[in-house]
Amino acid sequence: MLPKAPESAVPGKNTTVLSIPGSSDRFSTSALMERLPSRWPKPVWHAPWKNYRVISGHLGWVRSIAFDPGNEWFCTGSADRTIKIWDLASGTLKLTLTGHIEQVRGLAVSQRHTYLFSAGDDKQVKCWDLEQNKVIRSYHGHLSGVYCLALHPTIDVLLTGGRDSVCRVWDIRTKAHVSALTGHDNTVCSVFARPTDPQVVTGSHDTTIKFWDLVAGKTMCTLTHHKKSVRAMALHPKEKSFASASADNIKKWSLPKGEFLHNMLSQQKTILNAMAVNEDGVLATAGDNGSMWFWDWKSGHNFQQEQTIVQPGSLESEACIYALSYDNSGSRLVTCEADKTIKMWKEDLTATPETHPVNFKPPKDIRRY
Amino acid sequence: MGTLREILPSPKTSSSTFYDHSSDPWFKERYGGEPAEAAAGKLAGPAKPVPPYGKRTGFVPRRPEDFGDGGAFPEILLAQYPLGMGRRDDKGGSKILALTVDAQGSVAFDAVVKQGENAKKIVYSKHSDIVPKIATADSEAVEDEEYDKEVEETKERTVAALQKIVNVRLSAAQPKNVPTHDSESKFIKYKPSQQSAAFNSGAKERIIRMSEMASDPLDPPKFKHKRVPRASGSPPVPVMHSPPRPVTVKDQQDWKIPPCISNWKNPKGYTIPLDKRLAADGRGLQEVQINDNFAKLSEALYVAEQKAREAVQMRSKVQRELMLKEKERKEQELRALAQKARMERSGAPPPSTGMPVGGGRERERERVDDGDADMDLEQPREQRRETREEREARIERDRIREERRRERERERRLEAKEAAGTHKKSKLTRDRDRDVGEKVALGMAHTGAKTGEVMYDQRLFNQDKGMDSGFGADDQYNLYSKGLFTAQSSMSSLYRPKKDGDSEVYGGDADEQLDKVMKTERFKPDKAFTGAPERAGKRDRPVEFDKQEEADPFGLDQFLTEVKKGKKAVDKIGGGGTMKASGGSSRDDYEGGGSGRSRINFERGGR
């Protein structure tokens, strides 16, 4: 997908802000700067999100979350070494799974089988059978804590990334370690998989994002645009683009080639732990200081800023969000926090563009980071 | 002489003993082309003949033909590669990249980055890769069908590749195809290319038997698995962000963390000034907020105390008043009683007070006196009616009264002293503290004489016991067997001997013990004095010795009697010896005396 030159060209002026990578070399920066504000897409109005439920039940930080493909329940992994399965509609606890020895850092529910995959700081990657509620497979091979977990959408392959700076590819059925995607210099803290090339995208604490060729086990592309570690990435469900979040800013990229599209228009100025985007184009990012900002995907405009309130009995410093995810419909957002609660958010349907107007100012200049 | 050939017998084998290279494919390759080339007239005959040594000045061999059949020319100082050998084209290739230009004519500056491994990868190196772009609406449209096809195709490709890898890994782990040991050997039919009578004895084919060499199962592994160093990672990629901003002074100051100075541990024993010790304490930073309730509590306590005091005061006041009232009432009662008693006693107006009730409190006495005074006022009125008998009775009564008063005074005094705590002069204690002289004066000392008992001196009794009765202790006061005064209260802590107390003390039969003691031979001497008359009994007078005739020291009386015996001068030496310890008079029969030594008994010889 390459952005095309706009149709309306002012005669005599080179207006191409949008680049075919080769062509933009011709145009000076000043030309780009002139045109940027008017070219910038206007943000779509989204209803503000509000917290409607707080679920407490975990005994430690809630570190990870995954949703059931049927949208009935969701599971959360916590620093108290358990995985709890909650009913989505009512928020009640359905099941607690124990087996990990350390914090459960990554969770994924398989779309095609009744399996739940969990990964923890104890180097264990476990496959739980949800019919029997027990561990049926264990994937052994990580040398250190496993921080992130992703399932391939079409192939029965599991991808895990951890502190040994390697993303490991596992065959689910045979528990075999297929390949280790080496190349990062520091912990791999985020990973996602796609059906087409690049099939695996990883973000790491060494501030780079790498695209991997799964067949060859080699890097296809390395993106070094970030200055701080890339702790969260979010793949747009419909578009061929993804966003990556780091403490300096959030960047949006196009997909098969990994071209940099733009930064989000504000800076959250905190370590971003989690990010998620839904089909309506609402991107939610959550930070280490408990701040959660909502962005419009298309324009990069931040339309809402929220701060979590710790549950009574917690310290103020425990306002920190570790994971967040939309449910399969995209209408509910669930955040996992350091004050041991799970908060559920939904759009405030009473709001209208009049009550919550969008105050958007297109960026006047390119902020080069 | 003919040729050797004629002389010698003809060879048995065929003439073509030597290998015919003409049909050898290798030779054909190498040299076979020569005639063809020569026919083509590639070169002018054999190549230019190499100039001979000494005539090579100016000769520069550049092409392989210049070398002819030989090798490099040492005297020509030029890099020569005869037969193309020795050229280092491939190894350590040039580090210089050629400048390339792309289709538009712009120089490809990222060729540097896209070398080697990176050639197959996407590398971003231009400024445009940082510039924000906006995706247009077109880009969002995804061609579904094509996309699905692509997905499918990718999936299959990937699955196949991954399966291969997995299979390799799995089979390595679980070797299903362990090569079965074919003990049977295989036979191979081999048809060599050279076929003539010379080789293989004319046979066209050979059959080769291939069998596995017998390997020793206990053989150690032949190969050592060496660690291969990891191939270096992909070449570096340009960094697409600005270098980190330098830290401002304010930022640095903000992030300054003071060293930790523990209040508890100091393992290296550093001496740290006090202000540094307290600096990290954080005491000054805290604002101590005192709860309001403390003030409230103290106020409440104060108020409560005040109230309590008031209440106590009130109570005591009330009580005091009540007491006073009680006393008043009692007094009134007493007065009434007294009045009544007086009336009863005298019938006529009573002159003075009756018996006071209770102990003498001074106040009451006063009141009594007041009563007396009151009564005394009434006295002169009633004196007219008094008769003589009544006067006598009155005098009698007065006397009794006086006595009683004195008694009461005494008792009051005693009680006061008791209350003071020092003297307890009850009847019982009174006599305990008396001195004997006082007792005698009082007539309390009842000696035995009063009852008619005769007091004997105890020394008169038990005379024969004497020494046998044993020596008593020094401080034993056994002169009197009983005390002087018989009047001893039973309370006094006198020793009351029991009837059989002796037997308890002396164990078993006391009389037996006593006899044993009395009849002991312990203090009778084993032998009596020599010269004293033997007597069995005890001595009651001093020992009397028989008078012993003292031997004449000079032996004059023996002089004459023993002269006849004759003497020797030597004899005198032995005799008259004083080996006896005794000097002076000797006691011949005294045995066991003198020195303890065995004495040499010298006989007195001689005159």
Side-chain angles (χ1 to χ4, degrees):
Chain A
M1 167 214 74
L2 283 178
K4 294 200 200 134
E7 303 81 53
S8 60
V10 172
K13 268 250 173 110
N14 295 315
T15 58
T16 49
V17 167
L18 323 167
S19 57
I20 301 154
S23 59
S24 61
D25 293 335
R26 286 184 282 161
F27 308 112
S28 64
T29 317
S30 53
L32 293 166
M33 278 167 69
E34 271 174 43
R35 286 289 141 198
L36 203 57
S38 58
R39 291 272 136 229
W40 203 270
K42 295 254 171 1
V44 175
W45 181 83
H46 300 283
W49 290 71
K50 68 174 168 69
N51 178 16
Y52 71 97
R53 186 182 288 155
V54 174
I55 302 170
S56 57
H58 272 295
L59 299 172
W61 297 348
V62 190
R63 298 303 303 252
S64 53
I65 184 165
F67 276 86
D68 158 49
N71 225 24
E72 303 263 322
W73 49 266
F74 65 96
C75 55
T76 53
S78 158
D80 67 357
R81 316 182 302 276
T82 60
I83 301 165
K84 287 188 195 275
I85 297 181
W86 311 83
D87 183 49
L88 181 57
S90 59
T92 52
L93 175 64
K94 286 171 77 171
L95 188 62
T96 304
L97 298 170
T98 55
H100 274 284
I101 306 169
E102 284 242 22
Q103 300 186 32
V104 180
R105 298 289 289 261
L107 281 177
V109 181
S110 169
Q111 307 282 329
R112 293 192 296 280
H113 315 281
T114 54
Y115 292 153
L116 165 67
F117 295 90
S118 65
D121 271 349
D122 49 2
K123 314 178 204 170
Q124 294 173 357
V125 181
K126 292 182 186 291
C127 172
W128 303 76
D129 185 343
L130 291 168
E131 283 157 6
Q132 301 169 43
N133 293 340
K134 52 193 273 261
V135 178
I136 50 169
R137 290 185 189 102
S138 216
Y139 302 92
H140 172 75
H142 263 290
L143 302 171
S144 197
V146 186
Y147 285 7
C148 54
L149 187 69
L151 281 166
H152 198 285
T154 50
I155 308 171
D156 279 343
V157 134
L158 175 66
L159 305 150
T160 56
R163 267 184 67 204
D164 47 5
S165 64
V166 148
C167 174
R168 290 183 197 271
V169 183
W170 310 89
D171 179 38
I172 288 178
R173 188 184 58 83
T174 58
K175 302 175 272 190
H177 172 262
V178 173
S179 53
L181 309 174
T182 53
H184 277 299
D185 288 331
N186 208 330
T187 312
V188 175
C189 43
S190 55
V191 71
F192 69 83
R194 289 177 68 245
T196 54
D197 274 336
Q199 293 191 52
V200 180
V201 176
T202 56
S204 158
H205 278 321
D206 66 357
T207 76
T208 59
I209 300 168
K210 282 185 189 274
F211 291 5
W212 301 87
D213 176 11
L214 193 52
V215 168
K218 293 211 160 62
T219 310
M220 269 172 54
C221 173
T222 307
L223 304 172
T224 53
H225 292 59
H226 278 292
K227 272 187 183 172
K228 298 278 175 76
S229 50
V230 181
R231 288 191 179 210
M233 295 194 294
L235 175 65
H236 196 278
K238 289 281 179 275
E239 287 181 22
K240 285 195 169 186
S241 57
F242 76 99
S244 62
S246 88
D248 49 353
N249 44 29
I250 303 161
K251 292 183 191 282
K252 216 166 91 181
W253 314 81
S254 83
L255 253 172
K257 297 271 182 258
E259 286 148 357
F260 169 62
L261 291 179
H262 61 90
N263 290 338
M264 294 295 163
L265 298 179
S266 328
Q267 279 186 311
Q268 203 168 343
K269 294 210 198 311
T270 174
I271 297 170
L272 292 176
N273 279 329
M275 189 156 74
V277 64
N278 72 357
E279 289 183 358
D280 301 334
V282 176
L283 172 72
T285 55
D288 232 16
N289 60 0
S291 65
M292 192 157 75
W293 285 20
F294 292 89
W295 314 75
D296 172 48
W297 177 265
K298 187 129 153 267
S299 60
H301 166 67
N302 168 33
F303 66 88
Q304 189 185 1
Q305 300 179 5
E306 284 286 344
Q307 172 70 32
T308 47
I309 301 165
V310 288
Q311 73 165 332
S314 308
L315 302 172
E316 279 303 315
S317 60
E318 283 173 351
C320 166
I321 304 175
Y322 283 121
L324 62 83
S325 171
Y326 283 100
D327 71 330
N328 289 61
S329 66
S331 59
R332 296 286 184 272
L333 176 66
V334 182
T335 61
C336 308
E337 303 195 8
D339 63 347
K340 309 175 192 138
T341 57
I342 302 160
K343 294 190 167 69
M344 299 180 68
W345 303 71
K346 68 177 181 195
E347 285 181 323
D348 187 1
L349 298 168
T350 59
T352 61
E354 288 77 40
T355 58
H356 292 82
V358 170
N359 57 349
F360 166 66
K361 281 194 191 57
K364 286 205 186 66
D365 54 1
I366 307 163
R367 267 170 298 165
R368 285 172 235 156
Y369 298 106
Chain B
M1 315 227 266
T3 58
L4 205 54
R5 241 188 225 186
E6 291 155 15
I7 303 169
L8 291 171
S10 62
K12 289 199 185 93
T13 56
S14 64
S15 56
S16 61
T17 342
F18 308 104
Y19 183 62
D20 185 7
H21 289 275
S22 53
S23 54
D24 195 279
W26 185 81
F27 258 81
K28 274 192 194 140
E29 231 179 68
R30 190 129 171 29
Y31 297 102
E34 276 182 13
E37 281 183 324
K42 191 178 102 187
L43 295 161
K48 237 187 340 196
V50 168
Y53 181 62
K55 300 212 176 102
R56 287 172 188 156
T57 57
F59 176 61
V60 180
R62 284 209 183 87
R63 291 164 307 195
E65 308 84 63
D66 292 340
F67 294 103
D69 276 350
F73 300 100
E75 67 272 24
I76 301 172
L77 303 174
L78 176 72
Q80 303 163 47
Y81 299 106
L83 299 176
M85 292 187 297
R87 237 184 261 273
R88 295 186 70 243
D89 264 334
D90 301 329
K91 308 167 204 172
S94 168
K95 301 237 163 83
I96 305 167
L97 260 189
L99 192 67
T100 52
V101 177
D102 70 350
Q104 268 79 30
S106 51
V107 181
F109 292 109
D110 54 1
V112 179
V113 175
K114 289 205 175 133
Q115 290 178 52
E117 277 281 324
N118 278 351
K120 302 167 218 148
K121 302 184 187 172
I122 301 164
V123 178
Y124 292 108
S125 52
K126 299 193 199 66
H127 169 71
S128 59
D129 298 325
I130 300 185
V131 164
K133 306 164 195 75
I134 304 145
T136 58
D138 287 350
S139 61
E140 288 177 27
V142 174
E143 299 94 325
D144 283 326
E145 270 188 36
E146 276 188 30
Y147 183 65
D148 285 343
K149 249 202 283 185
E150 197 192 337
V151 166
E152 267 303 311
E153 183 247 335
T154 314
K155 174 186 168 185
E156 273 158 36
R157 188 168 44 89
T158 319
V159 166
L162 294 182
Q163 270 303 316
K164 231 195 273 182
I165 300 172
V166 169
N167 287 342
V168 164
R169 285 195 197 252
L170 283 182
S171 56
Q174 308 130 18
K176 274 184 262 182
N177 326 328
V178 175
T180 51
H181 177 63
D182 285 339
S183 54
E184 301 167 7
S185 33
K186 287 189 221 160
F187 293 95
I188 300 170
K189 198 181 271 188
Y190 170 59
K191 208 165 183 177
S193 56
Q194 259 315 306
Q195 292 179 357
S196 69
F199 311 100
N200 209 6
S201 321
K204 302 285 180 226
E205 297 160 347
R206 286 177 191 256
I207 292 177
I208 296 171
R209 180 183 164 198
M210 284 280 277
S211 62
E212 275 192 27
M213 193 171 101
S215 63
D216 184 0
L218 293 177
D219 237 2
K222 294 185 197 69
F223 309 105
K224 182 179 170 184
H225 294 280
K226 285 202 179 134
R227 279 175 191 266
V228 173
R230 194 190 301 197
S232 54
S234 45
V237 163
V239 169
M240 303 295 277
H241 56 76
S242 57
R245 305 246 186 274
V247 188
T248 60
V249 175
K250 184 178 168 300
D251 259 347
Q252 254 183 345
Q253 301 287 336
D254 284 343
W255 282 90
K256 225 180 219 180
I257 301 168
C260 173
I261 300 170
S262 169
N263 282 341
W264 291 270
K265 286 196 196 288
N266 189 5
K268 301 238 179 90
Y270 291 141
T271 307
I272 299 171
L274 284 172
D275 57 335
K276 302 285 184 301
R277 281 222 181 261
L278 295 175
D281 214 1
R283 249 182 268 202
L285 302 169
Q286 282 175 353
E287 235 189 63
V288 179
Q289 287 187 341
I290 301 176
N291 203 341
D292 283 340
N293 294 343
F294 282 112
K296 284 187 199 160
L297 176 66
S298 51
E299 274 179 26
L301 281 174
Y302 180 67
V303 166
E305 196 200 350
Q306 290 284 343
K307 288 235 168 70
R309 273 190 208 281
E310 274 174 45
V312 164
Q313 264 182 0
M314 292 283 292
R315 222 180 294 136
S316 67
K317 203 167 24 159
V318 166
Q319 220 176 21
R320 236 179 289 140
E321 281 174 20
L322 276 175
M323 287 264 298
L324 280 171
K325 281 201 190 118
E326 267 291 318
K327 277 193 185 150
E328 283 276 343
R329 205 174 46 81
K330 280 237 165 85
E331 254 187 61
Q332 292 295 331
E333 270 178 37
L334 284 175
R335 270 202 210 128
L337 269 174
Q339 179 85 299
K340 209 169 53 155
R342 252 180 273 132
M343 299 277 275
E344 276 174 17
R345 218 185 292 142
S346 57
S352 51
T353 59
M355 301 278 286
V357 180
R361 297 275 176 266
E362 293 213 299
R363 261 198 215 160
E364 267 186 36
R365 252 202 305 147
E366 281 172 8
R367 298 206 187 260
V368 164
D369 289 341
D370 284 342
D372 274 346
D374 284 337
M375 291 303 116
D376 282 339
L377 283 173
E378 290 170 32
Q379 255 184 347
R381 261 184 278 144
E382 288 146 39
Q383 232 169 358
R384 292 168 235 143
R385 280 178 263 155
E386 223 176 32
T387 60
R388 196 174 55 87
E389 292 91 9
E390 285 172 347
R391 200 183 297 126
E392 280 175 7
R394 186 169 54 85
I395 291 165
E396 182 63 36
R397 265 178 272 137
D398 280 339
R399 195 178 53 80
I400 293 171
R401 220 172 285 127
E402 283 299 317
E403 270 186 41
R404 286 198 191 121
R405 188 180 291 178
R406 258 183 263 121
E407 282 280 316
R408 264 175 263 130
E409 288 278 342
R410 220 177 285 142
E411 275 181 25
R412 256 179 245 132
R413 249 185 283 118
L414 280 175
E415 273 172 25
K417 277 192 187 159
E418 220 183 271
T422 48
H423 281 275
K424 246 190 149 198
K425 291 252 176 175
S426 63
K427 270 200 189 146
L428 300 166
T429 57
R430 184 180 54 186
D431 295 337
R432 233 187 287 160
D433 298 337
R434 286 200 191 280
D435 191 26
V436 162
E438 285 181 18
K439 278 192 191 168
V440 170
L442 284 169
M444 287 170 60
H446 304 286
T447 60
K450 208 169 186 187
T451 56
E453 225 180 279
V454 181
M455 298 286 286
Y456 290 102
D457 190 351
Q458 292 304 311
R459 284 176 293 185
L460 295 174
F461 303 129
N462 284 334
Q463 287 276 335
D464 57 320
K465 269 210 173 170
M467 286 284 281
D468 291 346
S469 71
F471 293 114
D474 274 340
D475 50 358
Q476 194 180 9
Y477 188 57
N478 50 0
L479 205 53
Y480 301 109
S481 63
K482 57 180 176 182
L484 179 62
F485 301 122
T486 53
Q488 299 278 355
S489 57
S490 55
M491 258 181 61
S492 66
S493 53
L494 274 183
Y495 166 63
R496 287 191 170 270
K498 290 193 214 77
K499 186 170 167 227
D500 270 336
D502 276 345
S503 56
E504 281 174 31
V505 172
Y506 295 109
D509 205 358
D511 294 340
E512 198 187 279
Q513 297 275 346
L514 195 60
D515 286 342
K516 205 168 31 162
V517 166
M518 277 171 48
K519 290 199 178 24
T520 186
E521 294 286 308
R522 220 162 139 204
F523 302 104
K524 287 210 177 108
D526 291 344
K527 35 180 185 301
F529 289 118
T530 54
E534 283 194 13
R535 50 160 188 88
K538 290 181 56 164
R539 243 189 284 137
D540 46 359
R541 66 179 82 91
V543 180
E544 286 164 12
F545 290 96
D546 297 335
K547 191 163 166 102
Q548 212 179 27
E549 284 174 12
E550 202 170 321
D552 189 3
F554 302 108
L556 286 170
D557 50 342
Q558 288 177 343
F559 181 69
L560 292 167
T561 53
E562 285 181 33
V563 135
K564 291 161 199 171
K565 278 187 193 172
K567 60 170 165 77
K568 279 181 196 163
V570 194
D571 288 339
K572 220 197 291 185
I573 296 170
T578 49
M579 285 297 281
K580 300 174 201 167
S582 59
S585 67
S586 60
R587 296 181 190 174
D588 296 331
D589 297 282
Y590 190 64
E591 304 142 1
S595 66
R597 278 185 296 166
S598 56
R599 270 176 58 244
I600 302 170
N601 215 353
F602 287 98
E603 269 192 87
R604 197 169 271 274
R607 25 184 207 107

